[in-house]
Amino acid sequence: MRTLIVIPARIGSTRFPAKPLHPIAGHSLVSRVAAIARRVSERNSDVAYVIATDDQTILDHAADIGAPAVMTDPALPSGTDRALAAARAYDQQADFVLNLQGDAPFTPADYLEALIEVASQSTADVVTPVVQLDWATLDVMRDQKTREPFSGTCCIRREDGMALWFSKTIIPSIRKEAAMRASGGLSPVWRHIGLYGYRMNALERFASLPVGTYEALEGLEQLRFLENGMSIMSVAVKPGATAMWGIDTPEDAAFAEKLIAEHGDPMDELG
């Protein structure tokens, strides 16, 4: 299965302009994410990667760090559309496209490899990772939702892993929670990780479909697949070394540097 990892890297973030170029502990954000993709490509001969940008400065920076990159239309409506445009421009033979968020420098390379492995054995249109929350982490998420209700996404899934729904609301509701807490350390809540792998034909179909009703309400692109009868396989992965996922603001970047100082720099392993 020929796989292309696409790293969308836009210059025009509203909350954090020029975010991909922002240095975090000595390395630009996009170079940190590119190092993750490069590691997966080095381990798997059928995997390539490319940065998809809309800005010449980022294109030049990619050349400086030795990462392949393509220019895409700044007007593309979503990261998913940018991943498709990059795949069309860089490798039209790819069977499977992994969309690695350019603002997620703590993504374990193992997550990408888990999605590639499941996709090679499944017929699902999309594969994406989820983490089962322990009770303490669920409590943190509930507290965070009181201040930032649209941060963090939950997934409802079948026993075989097929995703039934995604929501910015914490789902499912839990009856008899006290008894469940007493019986085990894991809650029934699965947190979605914003990393996607698409069959190329599914990506093409996504781009041809209008925005879905619930996709618009929740602000979740993956709901367009479910609203149109396409399948999403959720892949259970272990929590990462840090609880932090994406970098959305300068404050997030400062917090990332703090985590690196406390837990070590992933770049030391990625090279």
Side-chain angles (χ1 to χ4, degrees):
M1 186 177 70
R2 189 175 174 122
T3 297
L4 177 65
I5 302 170
V6 177
I7 305 169
R10 290 192 312 114
I11 195 72
S13 167
T14 303
R15 289 187 290 176
F16 197 170
K19 180 171 64 172
L21 301 175
H22 186 84
I24 296 176
H27 300 277
S28 69
L29 177 55
V30 71
S31 72
R32 287 182 170 276
V33 179
I36 299 165
R38 183 171 59 246
R39 170 57 56 88
V40 176
S41 180
E42 290 170 346
R43 290 175 176 170
N44 303 272
S45 59
D46 290 333
V47 178
Y49 76 100
V50 67
I51 294 170
T53 187
D54 59 354
D55 180 79
Q56 185 62 45
T57 310
I58 295 176
L59 199 68
D60 293 343
H61 180 63
D64 290 342
I65 62 175
V70 293
M71 188 70 84
T72 52
D73 187 344
L76 287 169
S78 72
T80 308
D81 290 283
R82 197 169 306 283
L84 174 59
R88 286 170 170 167
Y90 189 75
D91 184 0
Q92 296 186 13
Q93 302 304 312
D95 305 299
F96 185 64
V97 176
L98 265 173
N99 186 350
L100 172 59
Q101 298 298 316
D103 57 5
F106 296 111
T107 306
D110 292 351
Y111 285 12
L112 281 70
E113 293 173 326
L115 297 193
I116 293 170
E117 175 67 20
V118 170
S120 71
Q121 302 171 2
S122 164
T123 59
D125 294 304
V126 182
V127 293
T128 191
V130 291
V131 172
Q132 188 171 12
L133 299 184
D134 60 33
W135 292 106
T137 307
L138 176 58
D139 289 340
V140 171
M141 189 180 195
R142 284 169 168 164
D143 178 66
Q144 185 180 23
K145 288 285 186 185
T146 65
R147 299 182 300 277
E148 302 172 67
F150 291 99
S151 69
T153 301
C154 293
C155 174
I156 296 289
R157 60 199 297 265
R158 296 190 322 211
E159 287 294 324
D160 64 1
M162 279 296 183
L164 299 174
W165 198 248
F166 296 86
S167 180
K168 288 293 186 182
T169 299
I170 295 177
I171 51 176
S173 298
I174 307 172
R175 290 178 182 270
K176 302 178 181 178
E177 181 172 327
M180 291 187 69
R181 281 177 178 263
S183 65
L186 290 175
S187 81
V189 176
W190 293 83
R191 181 167 187 164
H192 177 235
I193 305 297
L195 169 68
Y196 300 91
Y198 312 98
R199 307 280 176 201
M200 191 62 187
N201 58 353
L203 200 51
E204 296 272 8
R205 186 180 175 201
F206 171 92
S208 72
L209 292 167
V211 174
T213 300
Y214 293 101
E215 175 191 0
L217 286 169
E218 292 264 11
L220 294 173
E221 292 175 25
Q222 63 266 45
L223 294 181
R224 192 184 310 181
F225 292 96
L226 295 180
E227 289 186 73
N228 288 281
M230 302 169 78
S231 58
I232 301 179
M233 174 64 79
S234 66
V235 180
V237 296
K238 295 180 179 178
T242 73
M244 188 172 198
W245 184 246
I247 306 291
D248 294 323
T249 65
E251 291 75 21
D252 289 342
F255 185 62
E257 291 192 322
K258 181 174 180 290
L259 290 176
I260 288 170
E262 293 175 353
H263 299 284
D265 192 339
M267 290 294 279
D268 292 342
E269 296 183 3
L270 295 170

